[in-house]
Amino acid sequence: MPRLTFICHDGASHEVQGEVGRSVMNAAIDNLVPGIDADCGGECACATCHVYVDEAWLDKVGTPDEAEDAMLDLNPERAPNSRLSCQIPVTDALDGFRARVPEFQM
Amino acid sequence: MAAVSEKFDYDQDYIGAEFDYPRYSKDNLEPYVDPYELPLDELNPASPSLFFRNLHWRHFKRLREEAPLHYTAQSMHGPYWSVTRYRDVKAIDMDHKTFSSYPAITVAEPDGDLPLPMFIAMDQPQHGPQRRAVSPVVGPRNLAALEPIIRERAGAILDGLPVGETFNWVDKVSIEQTTQMLATLFDFPFEDRYKLTRWSDVTTGSPESGVVESREARRLELIECREYFDRLWQQRIGNTEGNDLISLLANDPVTQDMPPDQFLGNLVLLIVGGNDTTRNSLSASVVALNQFPQQFDKLRANSGLVGNMVSEVIRWQTPLSHMRRRALRDVEMHGKTIREGDKVIMWYVSGNRDSEVFENPDDFDIERGNARSHVSFGFGIHRCMGNRVGEMQLRIVWEEFLKRFRNVEIVGDVERVYSDFVHGYKTLPVRLHAR
């Protein structure tokens, strides 16, 4: 199973196992990674699973679709590497994936 | 602004529309009939009289069970569809390309003489840039700075309460807390802050609710609001360092040249958004803790439950009972057809009591596992902008409350707001018990 690392706002690093076919958000929630709320349950409807994807992994996770782009746009602290983790499917190619969790979800 | 659909002229067809329906008011309530005794098609939940008496719950229960998509042909707001199940509410909320927010987000039609255009009642592409102009004030960076201010203010408000005497929690805590917060977000003259409370009530009020004497009186007060803010605006042009809502609006290229009606519209959106919602959740927490005393015991035993209690209060109360949309095309749902141009009401207050999603939904359970899934903030691009500031105020007030008091006991009659939109309390007579 791919290993995913979340770096939280306080600097703590959480390495979890992702399940292929589910989302990066699911892996974070299942493993109680702090700072990810996912209020809508993974439907790209609340933008509370926002992460900053490590530059090295941007190519592998692709770009947000129109719906995700609109939701990310709600956040005044959106950055070029911002993604909603519910919209990133876990694949074997993501083994070693790293992302930073923001201090607050919106 | 141009109408969003070419086939319908929304401005002409709806803004300022009057409908043939008896005029009821707070002093002349609509007669109540048990919803299970009525023919299904006569159910009309968009009635302030129902909410004022807290008698709306069975209407929504029946609609969820028997008619999850329901058409009311005649009401004080004209014909409308009701959507009452959690999943359907969420699906419509997310589908902003099919369901327009223009020209208003409440079941009531805008006043034709003062229509108040505001970004929440706009579609893309206008909505996004206007929202982005003001969202930093409640954005992550500002939140951390606000927390100590909120805590100090909440502590002072609670310390000033008369222990052992009966007082109105709504006035002394809910309104005081949220109005001070709003004054801070606007960098509004602090001694004049009760004007904000008044303008919030006037915006959502009506002659029928007793808040204003007439529609004309409402308009005059709102124009006074615009003039007051216009003076602040003029002072802050060029203040690009200011992180208050007025400075942000006055110096963002998207909003700096807003026409006067749009300026007022966006102001009252921020005033109501920052006022009524948190106010009524603060009051609701007292009501809920009194109705479910075992939950109060749990909270006293473990203040770490405050965070989840806040989400549960927002679910249980649903401070805004609905949001409204307009169909931009024909939509099939539950074997019925919503026609292009039809008004669709997403009843948040019902979605939050859907037993498919929330177990024992009428119970107030501060340890509810999925309390955060509530629909009170909406879902999709119009999701509540100030949700974190609202949650933060509720959390801090209750953390500070628990440090000071053992109980807040309701000791008299609760008076609710006469509105089918603002779902809250006007009077909450309480008495405090010292720790």
Side-chain angles (χ1 to χ4, degrees), chain B residues 306-335:
Chain B
V306 168
N308 201 59
M309 181 192 85
V310 167
S311 293
E312 175 66 348
V313 166
I314 297 168
R315 179 197 73 86
W316 186 81
Q317 176 61 27
T318 318
L320 297 178
S321 62
H322 72 268
M323 285 282 158
R324 152 263 190 77
R325 298 289 186 262
R326 286 255 174 222
L328 295 178
R329 58 173 173 81
D330 290 0
V331 179
E332 297 285 327
M333 221 180 129
H334 294 295

Side-chain angles (χ1 to χ4, degrees), chain B residues 184-243:
Chain B
T184 302
L185 295 179
F186 276 115
D187 194 10
F188 192 87
F190 208 61
E191 62 286 0
D192 275 353
R193 65 186 184 277
Y194 299 106
K195 288 182 188 290
L196 295 169
T197 319
R198 175 65 191 164
W199 291 328
S200 179
D201 290 345
V202 168
T203 301
T204 57
S206 62
E208 294 77 22
S209 65
V211 173
V212 287
E213 287 210 348
S214 63
R215 285 181 207 289
E216 183 57 23
R218 175 177 174 272
R219 281 195 286 273
L220 289 174
E221 281 202 64
L222 289 176
I223 287 166
E224 189 192 309
C225 165
R226 187 178 71 205
E227 286 168 350
Y228 191 107
F229 272 101
D230 199 45
R231 286 194 292 277
L232 298 182
W233 175 285
Q234 296 301 333
Q235 292 161 10
R236 292 179 198 174
I237 292 174
N239 177 23
T240 48
E241 297 293 301
N243 205 21

Side-chain angles (χ1 to χ4, degrees), chain B residues 122-290:
Chain B
M122 292 175 191
D123 295 320
Q124 303 293 54
Q126 295 97 328
H127 159 265
Q130 290 201 20
R131 175 174 167 138
R132 270 198 298 281
V134 287
S135 62
V137 77
V138 288
R141 212 162 300 167
N142 238 19
L143 275 184
L146 286 172
E147 174 146 6
I149 300 171
I150 299 176
R151 193 173 297 281
E152 192 194 320
R153 298 251 178 90
I157 289 169
L158 294 170
D159 285 337
L161 296 174
V163 179
E165 284 174 33
T166 300
F167 66 91
N168 182 2
W169 176 274
V170 176
D171 285 341
K172 289 230 186 297
V173 181
S174 308
I175 288 181
E176 195 56 52
Q177 171 67 38
T178 49
T179 300
Q180 290 191 17
M181 183 76 252
L182 201 56
T184 302
L185 295 179
F186 276 115
D187 194 10
F188 192 87
F190 208 61
E191 62 286 0
D192 275 353
R193 65 186 184 277
Y194 299 106
K195 288 182 188 290
L196 295 169
T197 319
R198 175 65 191 164
W199 291 328
S200 179
D201 290 345
V202 168
T203 301
T204 57
S206 62
E208 294 77 22
S209 65
V211 173
V212 287
E213 287 210 348
S214 63
R215 285 181 207 289
E216 183 57 23
R218 175 177 174 272
R219 281 195 286 273
L220 289 174
E221 281 202 64
L222 289 176
I223 287 166
E224 189 192 309
C225 165
R226 187 178 71 205
E227 286 168 350
Y228 191 107
F229 272 101
D230 199 45
R231 286 194 292 277
L232 298 182
W233 175 285
Q234 296 301 333
Q235 292 161 10
R236 292 179 198 174
I237 292 174
N239 177 23
T240 48
E241 297 293 301
N243 205 21
D244 65 276
L245 287 164
I246 305 298
S247 299
L248 289 170
L249 285 169
N251 297 296
D252 190 297
V254 173
T255 49
Q256 65 190 173
D257 297 320
M258 272 191 296
D261 61 336
Q262 216 177 94
F263 175 49
L264 180 59
N266 281 321
L267 282 176
V268 298
L269 165 63
L270 297 167
I271 293 173
V272 174
N275 217 339
D276 266 313
T277 51
T278 310
R279 176 202 306 181
N280 287 315
S281 303
L282 273 169
S283 301
S285 26
V286 172
V287 177
L289 289 169
N290 272 261

Side-chain angles (χ1 to χ4, degrees), chain B residues 80-93:
Chain B
Y80 65 92
W81 293 94
S82 284
V83 179
T84 44
R85 287 185 187 166
Y86 179 94
R87 295 259 154 235
D88 295 335
V89 166
K90 191 171 176 183
I92 288 177
D93 221 353

Side-chain angles (χ1 to χ4, degrees), chain A residues 59-78:
Chain A
D59 286 349
K60 294 221 170 53
V61 299
T63 50
D65 66 11
E66 195 186 343
E68 184 186 345
D69 187 60
M71 292 307 294
L72 281 168
D73 242 3
L74 303 181
N75 193 326
E77 290 174 22
R78 178 181 187 172

Side-chain angles (χ1 to χ4, degrees), chain A residues 39-40 45 66 77 105, chain B residues 90 97 141 372 380 383 388:
Chain A
D39 291 350
C40 80
E66 195 186 343
E77 290 174 22
Q105 295 289 343
Chain B
K90 191 171 176 183
K97 288 189 173 165
R141 212 162 300 167
R372 290 200 66 85
R383 187 170 168 84
R388 301 305 174 186

